[in-house]
């Protein structure tokens, strides 16, 4: 996929790829901008620790799929 304002892939990153299973891996949202949202379109796990609810996004690839750029931008506009 061509680099543009919608896509960036950093193959030189020591963590690349941080998730497996994507042909085109978008690093643009390296840190998920939807992490703070309780309801996001990804597939986070939640667990309790010391009486706190913790969001675990380690298994989520939603922000790294280039096809999800428009969805993420729409969610951020509405948040």
């Amino acid at each position: 996929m061509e680099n543009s304002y919608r896509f960036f892939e950093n193959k030189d990153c020591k963590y690349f790829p941080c998730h497996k299973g994507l042909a085109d891996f978008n690093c643009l949202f390296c840190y998920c901008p939807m992490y703070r949202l309780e309801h996001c379109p990804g597939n986070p796990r939640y667990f309790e620790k010391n009486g706190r609810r913790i969001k675990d996004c380690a298994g989520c690839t939603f922000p790294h799929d280039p096809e999800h750029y428009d969805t993420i931008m729409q969610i951020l506009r509405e948040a």
Side-chain angles (χ1 to χ4, degrees):
M1 177 169 279
E2 181 179 307
N3 286 345
S4 72
Y5 70 95
R6 299 169 152 264
F7 181 83
F8 171 73
E9 187 174 71
N10 183 7
K11 290 184 178 179
D12 292 331
C13 176
K14 69 179 184 176
Y15 301 108
F16 183 85
C18 58
H19 301 283
K20 307 287 186 223
L22 294 175
D24 291 318
F25 195 93
N26 194 357
C27 299
L28 184 64
F29 300 115
C30 176
Y31 292 97
C32 183
M34 299 176 295
Y35 179 78
R36 63 184 174 81
L37 304 176
E38 185 170 348
H39 301 290
C40 66
N43 59 343
R45 292 181 331 129
Y46 291 91
F47 62 93
E48 295 285 327
K49 183 173 182 180
N50 298 329
R52 295 182 59 205
R53 187 171 185 229
I54 308 293
K55 185 176 186 179
D56 176 8
C57 301
C60 180
T61 60
F62 190 88
H64 299 299
D65 185 330
E67 302 301 317
H68 294 154
Y69 176 86
D70 290 326
T71 302
I72 292 170
M73 296 309 293
Q74 184 63 38
I75 290 169
L76 294 178
R77 279 186 209 102
E78 295 171 357

